[in-house]
Amino acid sequence: MSLNTDFMVKVAHTAIQGVPVTLQIVLVALLISLPVGCLFALIRIYRIKGLEQIVKLYVSFVRGTPIIAQILIVYSAFPSLLNMIIGKAAFSINPIYYAYIVFTLNSIATLTEVFRSALQTVDKGQLEAGLMVGMRPRQIFWRIILPQALISALPNITNATLYLMKNSSLAFIMSVKDITAIAKTEAAFNYNFLEAYLVVWVYYLIICYSAEVIFYLLERYFSKYRRSTKKTTYFNWQPFSIKQPNVSAEAELTESGRGDHAQNRRIKKKL
Amino acid sequence: MLKIEGLRKSYDGNEILKGISVDVSKGDVISIIGPSGSGKTTLLRNMTTLEQADGGHIQFADVDKDFQKLSSKDIQTIRRNVGFVFQNYNLFNNKTALQNITEGLIVARKVNKSEAKKIALEALERVGLSDRQNHYPSQLSGGQQQRVGIARAVALNPKVIFFDEPTSALDPELVGEVLKVMRDLAESGTTMVVVTHQMNFARNVSNKVIFMADGHIVEQGSPESIFEHPSEKRTQEFLTDILANV
Ligand SMILES: Nc1ncnc2c1ncn2[C@@H]1O[C@H](COP(=O)(O)OP(=O)(O)OP(=O)(O)O)[C@@H](O)[C@H]1O
Ligand SMILES: [Mg+2]
């Protein structure tokens, strides 16, 4: 078996038009789900009555179902729903909007959990210290807690983004013309499936790898305060370092405010 | 200057503070000693409104009220006039030593930036850390972090500074530098309330010692009277124990 390289070059050329589509889906989903996820995390941490249950339910629905099922549901439910409101025009909507909806809803759930554990890793003592220098809780949240939470969330946000990028390849199901969809069409014309898929494979590899580098640089830049003078972490330049999301690892650290005072007391006493 | 009467606090039905009265005068350096679990931290946290007391009266700054009737304005007034130094420093980890001090000045007190920086640099100088102003907490030793914590409290020029076991989380070789700073503060007339297990400090630096056990003040008085002739059996036992362990 030999690869048809001419065909591969051709697919590479056409499929590149799908790159902006893929990136758009990822960007839209991220831009919406980052603030919303953060808000949902706060709702859960501060146990806002009523809303807390809804967020909890939402997260478990999304996390407990395969994304393919979510795609199929949104793609079959939304057009007919819209049809009832705006009539026939609903069926001529660019399907990329459905992709935005699915992937946004999906990553909101992931990021809610990411932010929840990140916010809880910020030691509550700093809140008390802020209060004792006269700052308002809101000021402490924006200036002290949130910046630290965002930085400690970065590795998990990176993972969530990589998953989002890879999952976005399922958008072809909704007839969105992303990288995967274009390559698939090309392949079907010529029956050169392997070649087309190899091209897809390389494209995703490049995109994900670039994202990983960007996030690494962000993390290094913003976490300067966490580096003690000696210890520096270097980027792992091998492209296969992609880690599994580590979302709920620290989730239950300080469920109630009490933990912290208890923790104070646990610090070993030295006479 | 600061007067607390009949302070009570319970957690889940367990009464931890069973009516505590404390009277702090200007220039006082009061040491609070007592066994673990006696309620010393709880007392400090309730006196400074970090937690809400279940009963008792506070007279401080412009406030003269029962704890339960404090308005959020009263709480703000009280917090504005106290400083707090925590056992585990609680520095803002995303801020440099200097920013840790200017943060409260700029954000809460609305001091302008250059003035805040000037005050902060003076405070850092007092704790001997002028050369560390741009270091983040993670780049400082425990002793240095605690000194920044003290500078942060001092810079706001509060009426009273509370210390909750400021040296307990430190490695033994770092305790001295923090105690020295506290001693300097005491000598310059700062009013201080210090929960401590450092009997040398209690005895030689403070002018008043309070011995607490089981949510009560068992005995209080001058360091000489507490350390030389404790009148209560609990105090004697505690001192014998703790001095034997040093
Ligand atoms: N938030 C809380 N919830 C429940 N119990 C608490 C809480 N805080 C303190 N306690 C209880 O109150 C008692 C007194 O605690 P506190 O921390 O004030 O003691 P302490 O005198 O400071 O002791 P140590 O010398 O060990 O610091 C302890 O029995 C503790 O278990
Ligand atoms: Mg304590």
Side-chain angles (χ1 to χ4, degrees):
Chain A
M1 190 193 74
S2 70
L3 290 174
N4 182 344
T5 44
D6 291 344
F7 177 68
M8 284 176 83
V9 172
K10 184 170 166 268
V11 175
H13 269 291
T14 34
I16 208 160
Q17 291 159 17
V19 173
V21 177
T22 298
L23 292 181
Q24 254 170 39
I25 296 175
V26 173
L27 273 181
V28 169
L30 271 186
L31 285 180
I32 300 175
S33 61
L34 282 171
V36 177
C38 191
L39 194 75
F40 280 15
L42 288 174
I43 288 174
R44 287 218 50 193
I45 288 175
Y46 289 103
R47 307 194 151 175
I48 314 240
K49 276 203 198 74
L51 294 178
E52 187 203 355
Q53 300 306 323
I54 297 174
V55 170
K56 238 174 164 167
L57 212 64
Y58 169 70
V59 170
S60 57
F61 275 164
V62 173
R63 298 220 308 174
T65 52
I67 187 154
I68 190 101
Q70 295 160 20
I71 289 173
L72 292 172
I73 288 173
V74 169
Y75 192 48
S76 49
F78 266 82
S80 23
L81 248 163
L82 273 178
N83 186 28
M84 294 199 293
I85 307 166
I86 59 171
K88 279 263 179 295
F91 294 104
S92 51
I93 286 177
N94 185 343
I96 197 167
Y97 289 104
Y98 299 125
Y100 291 160
I101 294 172
V102 180
F103 293 109
T104 303
L105 289 179
N106 192 271
S107 59
I108 284 175
T110 316
L111 290 177
T112 298
E113 292 305 280
V114 167
F115 281 122
R116 196 164 73 98
S117 64
L119 283 164
Q120 282 168 337
T121 59
V122 183
D123 174 24
K124 221 172 140 269
Q126 295 179 58
L127 170 67
E128 297 188 338
L131 292 176
M132 294 319 287
V133 297
M135 291 164 77
R136 306 261 172 197
R138 186 178 300 255
Q139 294 169 325
I140 302 168
F141 176 76
W142 286 108
R143 303 178 59 92
I144 311 290
I145 312 280
L146 187 63
Q148 291 179 53
L150 281 176
I151 291 158
S152 76
L154 263 178
N156 280 333
I157 294 177
T158 311
N159 283 328
T161 308
L162 296 185
Y163 272 82
L164 181 58
M165 283 175 167
K166 291 181 276 179
N167 282 338
S168 76
S169 64
L170 292 169
F172 77 86
I173 297 172
M174 299 179 277
S175 48
V176 172
K177 303 232 169 329
D178 73 332
I179 305 172
T180 317
I182 294 174
K184 248 175 93 74
T185 319
E186 289 287 327
F189 269 130
N190 301 278
Y191 296 100
N192 285 326
F193 288 101
L194 180 61
E195 281 90 340
Y197 295 154
L198 279 175
V199 170
V200 170
W201 188 77
V202 170
Y203 274 148
Y204 280 108
L205 202 60
I206 293 172
I207 293 175
C208 289
Y209 187 56
S210 317
E212 222 183 332
V213 172
I214 291 170
F215 274 105
Y216 164 74
L217 292 175
L218 274 178
E219 198 181 326
R220 201 182 59 168
Y221 177 76
F222 283 112
S223 63
K224 54 183 187 292
Y225 74 85
R226 285 212 294 207
R227 264 179 289 157
S228 54
T229 28
K230 284 159 248 157
K231 205 175 54 198
T232 325
T233 50
Y234 293 102
F235 184 67
N236 180 358
W237 291 103
Q238 288 147 15
F240 298 108
S241 66
I242 297 167
K243 297 146 242 138
Q244 297 297 310
N246 177 21
V247 166
S248 56
E250 290 158 303
E252 303 300 332
L253 254 188
T254 44
E255 266 291 304
S256 74
R258 215 173 252 174
D260 201 61
H261 189 34
Q263 189 184 320
N264 273 353
R265 266 176 286 113
R266 253 179 275 120
I267 289 183
K268 216 180 102 211
K269 192 131 309 138
K270 303 205 172 84
L271 293 173
Chain B
M1 180 182 68
L2 166 63
K3 198 166 178 171
I4 304 285
E5 266 165 43
L7 173 53
R8 295 180 175 279
K9 178 73 180 178
S10 307
Y11 294 113
D12 318 314
N14 287 332
E15 193 160 54
I16 302 300
L17 298 179
K18 301 167 181 162
I20 303 269
S21 301
V22 182
D23 201 338
V24 185
S25 311
K26 195 166 187 314
D28 267 354
V29 177
I30 299 179
S31 290
I32 302 178
I33 60 174
S36 184
S38 54
K40 306 180 297 294
T41 298
T42 310
L43 174 63
L44 253 50
R45 293 171 62 85
N46 280 277
M47 282 174 83
T48 53
T49 72
L50 261 181
E51 284 177 34
Q52 207 203 334
D54 300 331
H57 191 92
I58 180 168
Q59 203 178 320
F60 180 53
D62 294 332
V63 180
D64 187 355
K65 274 192 185 165
D66 285 351
F67 274 104
Q68 281 167 304
K69 291 184 185 141
L70 293 177
S71 66
S72 56
K73 188 164 157 283
D74 295 329
I75 289 178
Q76 202 63 22
T77 310
I78 294 171
R79 287 183 184 164
R80 254 174 183 266
N81 286 288
V82 300
F84 205 106
V85 175
F86 297 86
Q87 182 169 359
N88 44 357
Y89 336 129
N90 288 347
L91 295 185
F92 307 133
N93 287 328
N94 58 336
K95 305 277 174 190
T96 61
L98 188 78
Q99 290 167 340
N100 259 278
I101 305 171
T102 55
E103 192 70 10
L105 288 164
I106 296 170
V107 177
R109 295 279 167 93
K110 311 286 180 223
V111 176
N112 72 45
K113 280 197 177 131
S114 59
E115 177 69 15
K117 189 172 175 194
K118 211 183 106 213
I119 298 173
L121 284 173
E122 274 166 24
L124 277 178
E125 169 130 39
R126 270 183 95 165
V127 300
L129 286 174
S130 303
D131 56 334
R132 292 284 189 278
Q133 51 168 300
N134 294 322
H135 285 57
Y136 287 94
S138 63
Q139 300 165 331
L140 298 171
S141 72
Q144 291 169 335
Q145 288 187 57
Q146 192 57 296
R147 279 145 68 198
V148 174
I150 295 173
R152 176 170 66 181
V154 168
L156 293 159
N157 196 22
K159 288 195 163 70
V160 191
I161 303 181
F162 291 83
F163 296 76
D164 186 12
E165 299 193 33
T167 58
S168 294
L170 294 174
D171 289 338
E173 72 271 19
L174 301 176
V175 168
E177 61 188 67
V178 172
L179 286 180
K180 181 180 174 304
V181 166
M182 291 172 60
R183 190 181 297 247
D184 290 347
L185 279 182
E187 276 163 17
S188 67
T190 312
T191 311
M192 298 160 66
V193 176
V194 185
V195 170
T196 187
H197 287 261
Q198 295 288 334
M199 291 304 136
N200 275 330
F201 181 90
R203 180 161 190 168
N204 301 323
V205 184
S206 47
N207 66 332
K208 191 166 149 194
V209 177
I210 294 177
F211 172 66
M212 262 183 87
D214 294 331
H216 292 288
I217 291 182
V218 176
E219 187 169 356
Q220 56 182 310
S222 67
E224 297 76 46
S225 68
I226 300 286
F227 285 98
E228 312 283 341
H229 340 274
S231 50
E232 298 291 326
K233 196 153 167 289
R234 289 289 317 252
T235 322
Q236 288 163 12
E237 283 168 1
F238 173 75
L239 288 172
T240 318
D241 265 8
I242 202 163
L243 294 173
N245 273 323
V246 171

